[in-house]
Amino acid sequence: MPRTIRITRSHKLATAVLVAAGSVTAIAATGGQSDAQPAAAKTSIAAEKVAGVSTAKEAAAKKAAQETAAKKAAADAAAAKKAVAERKAAAEKAVADRKAEAKKSAEKARSEKQAANRSTERKAVAAPKQYKNNLDGWIRESLDIMKKKNIPGSYEGLHRNIMRESSGNPNAVNDWDVNAQNGIPSKGLLQVIQPTFDAYHVNGTPKKLTDPVANITAAANYAADKYGSIDNVDSAY
Protein backbone atom coordinates (compact mmCIF):
# COMPACT_ATOMS: atom_id res chain seq x y z
CA MET A 1 0.00 0.00 0.00
CA PRO A 2 1.20 3.54 -0.70
CA ARG A 3 2.95 5.21 2.11
CA THR A 4 1.11 8.12 3.66
CA ILE A 5 3.28 11.28 4.16
CA ARG A 6 2.26 13.36 7.03
CA ILE A 7 2.95 17.07 6.99
CA THR A 8 3.87 18.36 10.30
CA ARG A 9 4.05 21.91 11.64
CA SER A 10 7.79 21.84 11.12
CA HIS A 11 7.28 21.12 7.46
CA LYS A 12 4.91 24.05 7.13
CA LEU A 13 7.39 26.44 8.69
CA ALA A 14 10.18 25.29 6.41
CA THR A 15 8.00 25.77 3.39
CA ALA A 16 7.05 29.25 4.46
CA VAL A 17 10.70 30.15 4.90
CA LEU A 18 11.53 28.92 1.39
CA VAL A 19 8.68 30.86 -0.12
CA ALA A 20 9.75 33.99 1.69
CA ALA A 21 13.33 33.55 0.50
CA GLY A 22 12.22 33.15 -3.13
CA SER A 23 10.20 36.33 -2.90
CA VAL A 24 13.17 38.22 -1.56
CA THR A 25 15.33 36.87 -4.40
CA ALA A 26 12.73 37.84 -6.95
CA ILE A 27 12.41 41.29 -5.45
CA ALA A 28 16.18 41.68 -5.45
CA ALA A 29 16.37 40.56 -9.04
CA THR A 30 13.62 42.95 -10.01
CA GLY A 31 15.30 45.80 -8.22
CA GLY A 32 18.64 45.06 -10.03
CA GLN A 33 16.94 45.08 -13.35
CA SER A 34 15.40 48.47 -12.61
CA ASP A 35 18.78 49.93 -11.67
CA ALA A 36 20.45 48.57 -14.86
CA GLN A 37 17.91 50.12 -17.26
CA PRO A 38 18.98 53.83 -16.75
CA ALA A 39 22.65 52.96 -17.22
CA ALA A 40 21.95 51.18 -20.51
CA ALA A 41 19.89 54.13 -21.72
CA LYS A 42 22.72 56.52 -20.87
CA THR A 43 25.20 54.34 -22.72
CA SER A 44 22.89 54.25 -25.76
CA ILE A 45 22.51 58.04 -25.74
CA ALA A 46 26.26 58.51 -25.48
CA ALA A 47 26.79 56.14 -28.37
CA GLU A 48 24.21 58.00 -30.38
CA LYS A 49 25.96 61.29 -29.62
CA VAL A 50 29.31 59.83 -30.67
CA ALA A 51 27.73 58.47 -33.85
CA GLY A 52 26.13 61.86 -34.52
CA VAL A 53 29.42 63.69 -34.09
CA SER A 54 31.15 61.21 -36.38
CA THR A 55 28.42 61.63 -39.01
CA ALA A 56 28.65 65.44 -38.79
CA LYS A 57 32.42 65.29 -39.18
CA GLU A 58 32.07 63.03 -42.17
CA ALA A 59 29.48 65.37 -43.70
CA ALA A 60 31.71 68.38 -43.05
CA ALA A 61 34.69 66.56 -44.55
CA LYS A 62 32.63 65.57 -47.58
CA LYS A 63 31.38 69.12 -48.01
CA ALA A 64 34.92 70.48 -47.72
CA ALA A 65 36.12 67.95 -50.29
CA GLN A 66 33.31 68.95 -52.63
CA GLU A 67 34.12 72.64 -52.18
CA THR A 68 37.81 71.95 -52.84
CA ALA A 69 36.93 69.97 -55.97
CA ALA A 70 34.60 72.74 -57.13
CA LYS A 71 37.29 75.37 -56.59
CA LYS A 72 39.83 73.24 -58.45
CA ALA A 73 37.39 72.70 -61.32
CA ALA A 74 36.69 76.44 -61.46
CA ALA A 75 40.43 77.20 -61.40
CA ASP A 76 41.08 74.63 -64.14
CA ALA A 77 38.25 76.08 -66.24
CA ALA A 78 39.59 79.62 -65.74
CA ALA A 79 43.10 78.47 -66.66
CA ALA A 80 41.79 76.72 -69.78
CA LYS A 81 39.79 79.81 -70.75
CA LYS A 82 42.85 81.99 -70.21
CA ALA A 83 44.98 79.65 -72.32
CA VAL A 84 42.42 79.77 -75.15
CA ALA A 85 42.31 83.57 -74.93
CA GLU A 86 46.12 83.76 -74.96
CA ARG A 87 46.33 81.45 -78.00
CA LYS A 88 43.69 83.53 -79.78
CA ALA A 89 45.50 86.74 -78.92
CA ALA A 90 48.80 85.25 -80.11
CA ALA A 91 47.21 84.13 -83.39
CA GLU A 92 45.63 87.55 -83.91
CA LYS A 93 48.95 89.22 -83.16
CA ALA A 94 50.73 86.95 -85.62
CA VAL A 95 48.18 87.86 -88.32
CA ALA A 96 48.51 91.55 -87.47
CA ASP A 97 52.31 91.28 -87.56
CA ARG A 98 52.19 89.59 -90.96
CA LYS A 99 49.85 92.27 -92.31
CA ALA A 100 52.06 95.00 -90.89
CA GLU A 101 55.15 93.40 -92.41
CA ALA A 102 53.41 93.01 -95.77
CA LYS A 103 52.26 96.63 -95.63
CA LYS A 104 55.76 97.73 -94.69
CA SER A 105 57.25 95.72 -97.57
CA ALA A 106 54.68 97.14 -100.00
CA GLU A 107 55.38 100.68 -98.83
CA LYS A 108 59.11 100.08 -99.13
CA ALA A 109 58.69 98.67 -102.66
CA ARG A 110 56.45 101.60 -103.61
CA SER A 111 58.93 104.06 -102.14
CA GLU A 112 61.80 102.43 -103.99
CA LYS A 113 59.80 102.45 -107.22
CA GLN A 114 58.94 106.11 -106.78
CA ALA A 115 62.56 106.90 -106.05
CA ALA A 116 63.59 104.97 -109.15
CA ASN A 117 61.01 106.85 -111.22
CA ARG A 118 62.25 110.18 -109.89
CA SER A 119 65.79 109.14 -110.63
CA THR A 120 64.78 108.15 -114.14
CA GLU A 121 62.99 111.45 -114.61
CA ARG A 122 66.01 113.37 -113.37
CA LYS A 123 68.23 111.42 -115.70
CA ALA A 124 65.84 112.09 -118.54
CA VAL A 125 65.94 115.81 -117.79
CA ALA A 126 69.67 115.87 -117.15
CA ALA A 127 70.54 113.73 -120.14
CA PRO A 128 68.68 114.83 -123.29
CA LYS A 129 68.32 112.45 -126.17
CA GLN A 130 71.54 111.89 -128.03
CA TYR A 131 71.77 111.85 -131.81
CA LYS A 132 74.59 110.67 -134.00
CA ASN A 133 76.60 113.36 -135.74
CA ASN A 134 75.83 112.11 -139.24
CA LEU A 135 73.08 112.42 -141.81
CA ASP A 136 70.88 109.83 -140.08
CA GLY A 137 71.27 111.60 -136.71
CA TRP A 138 70.60 115.06 -138.24
CA ILE A 139 67.40 113.85 -139.90
CA ARG A 140 66.14 112.13 -136.74
CA GLU A 141 66.84 115.17 -134.57
CA SER A 142 65.11 117.41 -137.13
CA LEU A 143 62.06 115.10 -137.16
CA ASP A 144 61.77 115.31 -133.34
CA ILE A 145 61.88 119.11 -133.48
CA MET A 146 59.40 119.19 -136.39
CA LYS A 147 57.03 116.97 -134.42
CA LYS A 148 57.10 119.39 -131.47
CA LYS A 149 56.49 122.36 -133.80
CA ASN A 150 53.78 120.55 -135.82
CA ILE A 151 55.81 120.73 -139.02
CA PRO A 152 54.87 117.83 -141.36
CA GLY A 153 57.43 115.59 -142.99
CA SER A 154 58.89 112.10 -142.94
CA TYR A 155 62.32 110.53 -142.80
CA GLU A 156 61.94 109.38 -146.41
CA GLY A 157 60.88 112.81 -147.69
CA LEU A 158 63.77 114.59 -145.99
CA HIS A 159 66.37 112.01 -146.99
CA ARG A 160 65.22 111.92 -150.61
CA ASN A 161 65.41 115.73 -151.06
CA ILE A 162 68.71 116.02 -149.20
CA MET A 163 70.37 113.47 -151.46
CA ARG A 164 69.12 115.28 -154.53
CA GLU A 165 70.10 118.77 -153.36
CA SER A 166 73.48 118.18 -151.63
CA SER A 167 74.28 114.46 -151.60
CA GLY A 168 74.29 114.73 -147.80
CA ASN A 169 77.01 117.39 -147.57
CA PRO A 170 76.04 120.06 -144.95
CA ASN A 171 78.62 122.49 -146.37
CA ALA A 172 77.49 122.22 -150.01
CA VAL A 173 77.19 125.62 -151.81
CA ASN A 174 75.57 126.32 -155.20
CA ASP A 175 77.68 129.02 -156.80
CA TRP A 176 76.28 128.91 -160.30
CA ASP A 177 72.47 129.37 -160.26
CA VAL A 178 70.50 132.59 -160.31
CA ASN A 179 70.61 132.91 -156.54
CA ALA A 180 74.37 132.72 -156.64
CA GLN A 181 74.41 135.32 -159.38
CA ASN A 182 72.31 137.56 -157.14
CA GLY A 183 74.79 137.10 -154.28
CA ILE A 184 72.65 134.81 -152.13
CA PRO A 185 73.81 131.30 -153.02
CA SER A 186 71.93 128.21 -151.81
CA LYS A 187 73.72 126.43 -149.00
CA GLY A 188 73.50 123.35 -146.79
CA LEU A 189 71.82 119.97 -146.93
CA LEU A 190 68.62 121.27 -148.53
CA GLN A 191 70.21 124.21 -150.39
CA VAL A 192 68.44 127.09 -148.65
CA ILE A 193 69.20 130.74 -149.34
CA GLN A 194 69.77 133.13 -146.45
CA PRO A 195 66.51 135.14 -146.77
CA THR A 196 64.43 131.94 -146.78
CA PHE A 197 66.38 130.59 -143.80
CA ASP A 198 65.82 133.80 -141.85
CA ALA A 199 62.08 133.80 -142.64
CA TYR A 200 61.47 130.13 -141.78
CA HIS A 201 64.06 129.52 -139.07
CA VAL A 202 62.71 127.24 -136.33
CA ASN A 203 63.25 128.40 -132.75
CA GLY A 204 65.46 126.09 -130.73
CA THR A 205 67.90 125.48 -133.58
CA PRO A 206 71.13 127.39 -134.26
CA LYS A 207 70.80 130.53 -136.37
CA LYS A 208 73.40 129.31 -138.81
CA LEU A 209 72.43 128.52 -142.39
CA THR A 210 74.81 125.60 -142.77
CA ASP A 211 73.97 123.97 -139.43
CA PRO A 212 72.54 120.58 -140.51
CA VAL A 213 69.51 120.54 -138.18
CA ALA A 214 68.76 124.26 -138.57
CA ASN A 215 68.98 123.93 -142.39
CA ILE A 216 66.69 120.86 -142.51
CA THR A 217 64.01 122.25 -140.17
CA ALA A 218 63.93 125.66 -141.91
CA ALA A 219 63.61 123.99 -145.34
CA ALA A 220 60.87 121.64 -144.05
CA ASN A 221 59.03 124.63 -142.55
CA TYR A 222 59.27 126.49 -145.86
CA ALA A 223 58.12 123.42 -147.84
CA ALA A 224 55.15 122.92 -145.47
CA ASP A 225 54.11 126.54 -146.11
CA LYS A 226 54.53 126.37 -149.90
CA TYR A 227 53.78 122.72 -150.74
CA GLY A 228 52.05 121.23 -147.70
CA SER A 229 55.01 119.05 -146.74
CA ILE A 230 58.63 118.34 -147.70
CA ASP A 231 57.28 114.94 -148.75
CA ASN A 232 55.52 116.66 -151.69
CA VAL A 233 58.76 118.13 -153.08
CA ASP A 234 60.45 116.10 -155.83
CA SER A 235 62.60 118.72 -157.55
CA ALA A 236 64.12 122.15 -157.05
CA TYR A 237 61.82 124.18 -154.85
Side-chain angles (χ1 to χ4, degrees):
M1 288 180 65
R3 185 180 178 183
T4 302
I5 298 174
R6 186 178 180 179
I7 298 174
T8 65
R9 185 172 179 272
S10 296
H11 289 142
K12 290 180 180 180
L13 288 174
T15 300
V17 171
L18 291 174
V19 169
S23 297
V24 171
T25 302
I27 291 169
T30 303
Q33 288 176 355
S34 298
D35 291 338
Q37 285 179 354
K42 289 180 180 180
T43 302
S44 176
I45 292 170
E48 289 177 356
K49 288 182 178 181
V50 171
V53 170
S54 177
T55 302
K57 287 183 178 180
E58 290 177 356
K62 183 177 181 181
K63 182 178 180 181
Q66 290 174 343
E67 290 176 351
T68 301
K71 288 180 180 180
K72 185 177 183 304
D76 292 343
K81 185 176 180 180
K82 182 179 179 181
V84 170
E86 289 176 348
R87 287 195 296 271
K88 183 179 179 182
E92 291 175 349
K93 184 178 183 300
V95 172
D97 289 345
R98 286 196 296 271
K99 287 183 178 179
E101 186 63 27
K103 182 178 180 181
K104 184 178 179 181
S105 298
E107 289 176 351
K108 182 180 179 181
R110 183 166 56 253
S111 178
E112 291 176 349
K113 184 177 180 180
Q114 291 174 345
N117 290 338
R118 287 193 296 270
S119 177
T120 301
E121 290 172 358
R122 285 195 296 269
K123 287 180 180 180
V125 172
K129 186 176 180 179
Q130 299 295 314
Y131 302 94
K132 293 180 180 180
N133 188 28
N134 55 25
L135 181 58
D136 178 73
W138 301 329
I139 293 175
R140 293 185 184 283
E141 184 176 357
S142 297
L143 285 170
D144 287 343
I145 295 172
M146 290 163 60
K147 183 178 181 180
K148 292 178 182 178
K149 301 295 183 178
N150 295 316
I151 299 172
S154 65
Y155 186 100
E156 187 277 331
L158 291 173
H159 187 269
R160 171 167 42 83
N161 282 284
I162 287 170
M163 296 308 293
R164 186 190 66 252
E165 294 292 330
S166 65
S167 299
N169 180 9
N171 297 312
V173 178
N174 185 331
D175 55 4
W176 55 266
D177 66 1
V178 65
N179 291 319
Q181 293 173 12
N182 292 328
I184 48 172
S186 301
K187 296 180 180 181
L189 292 173
L190 283 169
Q191 292 294 285
V192 182
I193 61 175
Q194 191 65 52
T196 300
F197 179 81
D198 293 340
Y200 290 95
H201 172 261
V202 177
N203 290 332
T205 62
K207 290 186 177 181
K208 181 181 179 181
L209 179 58
T210 56
D211 178 86
V213 175
N215 187 279
I216 292 173
T217 54
N221 195 23
Y222 167 78
D225 183 43
K226 299 299 181 180
Y227 307 103
S229 171
I230 190 68
D231 293 348
N232 297 329
V233 177
D234 291 309
S235 61
Y237 60 107

